[in-house]
Amino acid sequence: MHTPGSSAALSLRGLSKAYGQTLAVDRLDLDVPRGSFFGLVGPNGAGKTTTLSMATGLLRPDAGTVHVLGHDVWSDTVRAKQLVGILPDGLRLFDRLTGLQLICYSGLLRGMDRRVVTDRAHELLDALGLAEADGVLVVDYSAGMTKKISLACALIHAPRLLVLDEPFEAVDPISATTIRQILEGYAASGGTVILSSHVMDLVQRLCDRVAIVAAGQIRAEGTLDEVRSGMTLEERFVDLVGGQTDVGEGLAWLRSSSD
Amino acid sequence: MVALIVGLKWQLLRNGLRRSTPQLVGMIIAVLYGLGVLTVALSGLIALRFALPSDVARTVIIIGGSLVMLGWAILPVLAYGIDETLDPARFATFAVPRRQLVIGLLLSSLVSVPAAVMAILGLATVITWSRSLLAVVVAPVAAVVAVLTCVALGRVTSTASFAMSRRRRGKEALLFLMLLLSLGVGVAVSSIMKRASSPGLLPHLADVLGWTPLGLAWSAPADIVDGAIGSGLLRLALGLVFLVVMLVAWDSLLRAALENPRATAGAAPATRNTGLGWFGRLPPTPTGAVAARSIVSWRRDPRYVASVVLVLVLPLGLLLPALTGGDSAWTLAMAPVAGFMLGWSTHNDIAYDGTAFWGHVATGVSGRADRIGRLAPTAFAGSLLLPGYAAVSCVLIGRWSLWPALFGIGLGFLLTGFGVASVMSALRPYPVPGPGENPFGAPPGSSALTVLVQAVAGTAVFVLNLPLLGVGIGALMGNVWMGWLCLGLAVVLGSGALALGTWWGARLYERRAPELLADLSRIR
């Protein structure tokens, strides 16, 4: 029997989630091909975080299925979770651990060997430019350092699929370049990346496939050029999602020149 | 501005309750309980006016009022935390004049069940004192001063303890202070108990308390009723001075929070810790990793200080009667009480993780590893404290033959507590202060929930250990062999409860991990 989307790295079918009366994700279907660098864009509240949480086993969907490389996340949980690395947005970390301890914790929780975990942790800290801060408590890290240490935690077990929710939010250009290089190297070696972002420019530069989400549904999906259809991604996005308000003559009191 | 701050508190309370069912349940319990207390105490205050002579009213109100004020000062730190919905640090970016902020925060503190109940009862003392015209004028003023002093005291002690718990040596200093304070209270109570039978003690005690800050405001109308108008007004003035001193103290603590708001969110200054620490010492398995992480949290996170205080201080309090020359039988309870307190203290452990718990969900760590690993810090503490406390009791009593029974009962409580905690913490987390927040704070409604859940957990542990207690009492009667039987039984029953509890807890965890994470993001 053919498992749905077994050729895809991530396959979502009829995924739905409601919070009370609000439908956050509405029968969403999505296939992320293996080896692709996939960008998920959408306005605030479009359901990106909810979708990615359900795709990684952090949030139970009301309906629908999720398969990671052919393994059902909600029945073959352990196997599926071994294949995925996650960087969630807006969730805390065990921030009383040092950077090194936090990475090792993620590895050890997955039952990895301590030698392997420590070696990889040091390599990751070096690559991310955190080697100096390995003994500092994560609570004392800056926003950019926190993103980088989260990425390290997502990579420690060499996952086949990386799910990153807003990996570039609050990250300075230098750290962003570091993160980008690591992700590009990971994708070039056959890994699959799916990330959500507000920064169209970045998605345009990094991703080879894009999906635009609004109101819990996919509005457009395909290769970057298919989705753009001749425009820039930003124009296409505004075009599809709409709702831009014209400020016009409002907020007159805000103009200090009127004094 | 003051009205705005009080309105903000009310709005936050309503919205918070709408968002979180556990908090709502806690609030309903708190309101019901508060109404109960209110009914009983109100009828008492009315009876004091109409059915009893005024000197009885004087004694009851001064002692009762002083106890209430003492409670406001120490309970937030020792047990329940204080409602800090309005974290002063959040006002840092708004240009609110500090004087107005202090008054606003003080009045907004009255928007909570315990404060409201106390405010109503405080004002009801006017009925009790309605024995002369002047008393009816003074009593409401005194009541307002007393009630505001209680609320201000609670904020001062909790803010000060928070400030201390963030300092490097502050945590130890805080522990020591708490120890000293509870010893002091213990000595006072035990010496009063010893003389309780002598007539005239309570009125005498009321006289003394009436001149301490705790009783000044409460005793002012009592003097007026007795005709001592001068001393009544003096007490009222002194009470007012004490309130102002508390407000100034709170204000200066607030200033620290407002001028350095990051300090509230952050922790101790950046320290370098090299190597893996506990992660390198414990077995390199998921269970070992969870254990190492728990131990690090207990050591570095100020929110665990309260638990440590309780576990260390309470059993030591049992030493008091013996040290003050009283009955040393109480010391027998040291090891059992420590085992009891330690055992189920992790019954809400997941709530302390907050949303950081996603790390456990994402890695798919087994329920067994999560359950057992979390017990490590308390197991470690128990393995040192229980045999030690049991030995201390034996030394004081002078009967080493009791050691196996005392240690056995403590061990039984500890292990069954572990079982109960393993199941309960996988059921449903209830709100606790977030990381970096005031560890002596408590979200509204959570205190009542805490009391309820802890009563359930405590009863479960107690009932499970009834057979053990029976044998233990047999050992106390002088049957030495029963002591060893008690220890053996504790090992067998305790391991059984532990195995069953962790097995059941692990099953629950594996079925409900995403739901637990959803609960955690809702209560935060």
Side-chain angles (χ1 to χ4, degrees):
Chain A
M1 206 191 92
H2 180 73
T3 20
S6 60
S7 66
L10 178 67
S11 170
L12 314 178
R13 285 288 172 275
L15 212 53
S16 297
K17 180 76 191 178
Y19 293 111
Q21 297 294 312
T22 341
L23 206 55
V25 175
D26 185 8
R27 284 160 292 160
L28 184 140
D29 296 327
L30 183 68
D31 280 306
V32 177
R34 291 182 195 214
S36 61
F37 205 126
F38 199 100
L40 197 61
V41 296
N44 294 325
K48 300 188 296 289
T49 297
T50 308
T51 304
L52 294 183
S53 300
M54 289 191 287
T56 48
L58 294 185
L59 180 69
R60 200 184 298 277
D62 293 342
T65 57
V66 181
H67 285 87
V68 170
L69 297 154
H71 300 275
D72 189 324
V73 169
W74 291 99
S75 61
D76 190 3
T77 312
V78 174
R79 185 76 194 110
K81 282 179 177 173
Q82 282 168 353
L83 298 168
V84 193
I86 315 172
L87 189 163
D89 184 40
L91 297 184
R92 287 179 178 278
L93 297 169
F94 286 105
D95 55 15
R96 304 286 150 160
L97 302 183
T98 66
L100 176 66
Q101 284 178 329
L102 187 64
I103 306 180
C104 292
Y105 188 41
S106 311
L108 292 171
L109 277 185
R110 292 177 183 275
M112 294 168 63
D113 180 68
R114 181 152 64 203
R115 273 291 297 280
V116 177
V117 170
T118 338
D119 290 347
R120 285 188 187 176
H122 282 295
E123 279 185 59
L124 282 166
L125 285 166
D126 282 336
L128 287 161
L130 290 173
E132 292 292 300
D134 63 345
V136 176
L137 301 195
V138 174
V139 69
D140 294 323
Y141 275 18
S142 68
M145 290 163 86
T146 309
K147 280 281 184 208
K148 289 196 280 186
I149 205 79
S150 310
L151 181 64
C153 293
L155 289 171
I156 186 79
H157 59 296
R160 304 269 303 280
L161 169 69
L162 258 186
V163 181
L164 314 172
D165 197 359
E166 301 284 358
F168 296 102
E169 200 178 59
V171 177
D172 67 73
I174 300 167
S175 301
T177 311
T178 315
I179 295 181
R180 223 182 64 210
Q181 281 167 351
I182 289 179
L183 294 184
E184 279 169 345
Y186 172 83
S189 63
T192 310
V193 180
I194 174 167
L195 60 82
S196 74
S197 180
H198 286 119
V199 190
M200 297 298 152
D201 231 28
L202 206 125
V203 172
Q204 212 159 201
R205 234 176 327 145
L206 271 176
C207 302
D208 49 27
R209 292 186 76 87
V210 180
I212 297 179
V213 200
Q217 288 178 322
I218 304 283
R219 290 298 166 83
E221 194 269 324
T223 64
L224 187 59
D225 289 327
E226 282 168 10
V227 172
R228 280 198 290 200
S229 53
M231 298 186 255
T232 67
L233 188 58
E234 184 151 349
E235 285 164 346
R236 178 75 174 132
F237 177 84
V238 173
D239 196 37
L240 267 176
V241 175
Q244 203 194 13
T245 44
D246 184 13
V247 175
E249 289 305 302
L251 306 186
W253 47 270
L254 201 53
R255 284 162 207 151
S256 47
S257 59
S258 61
D259 286 348
Chain B
M1 179 55 65
V2 171
L4 193 66
I5 296 176
V6 177
L8 176 66
K9 167 71 186 280
W10 176 243
Q11 203 69 38
L12 282 171
L13 183 66
R14 271 184 33 187
N15 293 356
L17 294 182
R18 199 179 302 160
R19 211 170 117 82
S20 155
T21 324
Q23 237 167 295
L24 184 66
V25 172
M27 198 50 146
I28 293 170
I29 299 168
V31 168
L32 289 178
Y33 186 73
L35 284 177
V37 171
L38 202 58
T39 319
V40 173
L42 260 184
S43 24
L45 287 175
I46 293 170
L48 282 175
R49 164 65 182 90
F50 297 104
L52 293 157
S54 74
D55 57 323
V56 176
R58 177 192 176 89
T59 308
V60 169
I61 287 189
I62 297 178
I63 295 182
S66 303
L67 281 180
V68 167
M69 207 177 273
L70 185 68
W72 274 89
I74 60 175
L75 279 184
V77 184
L78 265 190
Y80 303 120
I82 198 154
D83 180 355
E84 276 226 328
T85 313
L86 296 182
D87 180 359
R90 301 213 175 144
F91 290 91
T93 55
F94 300 103
V96 185
R98 264 221 325 282
R99 181 183 297 243
Q100 293 191 20
L101 183 61
V102 167
I103 297 174
L105 288 177
L106 184 71
L107 292 181
S108 73
S109 298
L110 292 174
V111 187
S112 82
V113 177
V117 168
M118 184 188 55
I120 296 171
L121 290 178
L123 289 176
T125 56
V126 177
I127 303 172
T128 314
W129 297 127
S130 59
R131 291 171 190 258
S132 78
L133 184 64
L134 186 59
V136 173
V137 177
V138 171
V141 182
V144 168
V145 171
V147 167
L148 290 182
T149 310
C150 288
V151 178
L153 253 179
R155 301 291 292 236
V156 168
T157 51
S158 77
T159 315
S161 321
F162 179 35
M164 282 182 79
S165 72
R166 282 189 288 127
R167 297 228 179 82
R168 202 172 289 266
R169 290 276 137 230
K171 239 178 284 181
E172 286 85 348
L174 190 63
L175 268 175
F176 184 71
L177 267 181
M178 301 302 301
L179 199 66
L180 224 58
L181 183 75
S182 44
L183 285 178
V185 172
V187 170
V189 169
S190 70
S191 63
I192 289 168
M193 294 295 259
K194 229 182 294 170
R195 275 172 248 144
S197 47
S198 67
L201 171 82
L202 291 179
H204 184 65
L205 180 69
D207 285 342
V208 175
L209 281 174
W211 285 109
T212 64
L214 296 178
L216 279 171
W218 297 115
S219 55
D223 275 7
I224 305 277
V225 165
D226 291 347
I229 293 168
S231 88
L233 292 179
L234 177 65
R235 286 186 210 247
L236 183 59
L238 287 177
L240 199 60
V241 169
F242 181 60
L243 173 61
V244 171
V245 168
M246 281 301 109
L247 287 181
V248 170
W250 187 28
D251 177 64
S252 63
L253 287 165
L254 270 189
R255 190 169 51 205
L258 288 180
E259 285 166 7
N260 192 7
R262 281 282 299 157
T264 317
T271 43
R272 260 192 81 86
N273 303 271
T274 44
L276 288 176
W278 282 96
F279 291 91
R281 270 170 246 161
L282 296 178
T285 58
T287 313
V290 176
R293 203 274 306 160
S294 297
I295 293 175
V296 172
S297 293
W298 275 75
R299 287 172 52 103
R300 290 194 193 139
D301 193 330
R303 292 178 299 158
Y304 290 94
V305 173
S307 318
V308 177
V309 168
L310 216 61
V311 168
L312 285 180
V313 167
L314 221 80
L316 288 180
L318 294 168
L319 278 174
L320 281 173
L323 295 183
T324 53
D327 191 356
S328 51
W330 285 104
T331 55
L332 289 175
M334 281 178 74
V337 166
F340 184 74
M341 307 286 303
L342 270 174
W344 52 270
S345 62
T346 52
H347 71 277
N348 195 27
D349 201 47
I350 281 186
Y352 286 91
D353 295 1
T355 50
F357 179 63
W358 76 266
H360 287 215
V361 183
T363 49
V365 64
S366 73
R368 212 182 132 67
D370 179 277
R371 301 291 85 192
I372 293 178
R374 284 176 191 278
L375 300 175
T378 40
F380 184 65
S383 66
L384 293 178
L385 289 181
L386 296 190
Y389 281 165
V392 170
S393 311
C394 293
V395 170
L396 285 172
I397 300 278
R399 275 171 66 192
W400 275 99
S401 59
L402 289 179
W403 190 86
L406 296 179
F407 177 55
I409 296 175
L411 189 68
F413 277 141
L414 184 77
L415 295 179
T416 36
F418 283 172
V420 170
S422 296
V423 176
M424 289 189 74
S425 82
L427 277 176
R428 185 145 209 186
Y430 62 87
V432 297
E437 285 175 19
N438 186 345
F440 307 107
S446 72
S447 306
L449 265 188
T450 312
V451 175
L452 181 76
V453 175
Q454 295 188 350
V456 171
T459 313
V461 173
F462 194 76
V463 169
L464 285 171
N465 280 292
L466 279 178
L468 203 61
L469 281 172
V471 182
I473 289 168
L476 289 184
M477 303 297 212
N479 300 307
V480 176
W481 62 271
M482 274 188 138
W484 292 105
L485 176 65
C486 178
L487 184 54
L489 207 58
V491 172
V492 175
L493 277 180
S495 343
L498 177 64
L500 190 69
T502 46
W503 170 79
W504 190 12
R507 249 174 57 115
L508 281 170
Y509 171 94
E510 274 164 23
R511 222 179 311 145
R512 302 194 62 247
E515 280 72 23
L516 288 171
L517 182 59
D519 283 344
L520 290 169
S521 22
R522 210 170 304 125
I523 60 181
R524 271 270 53 87

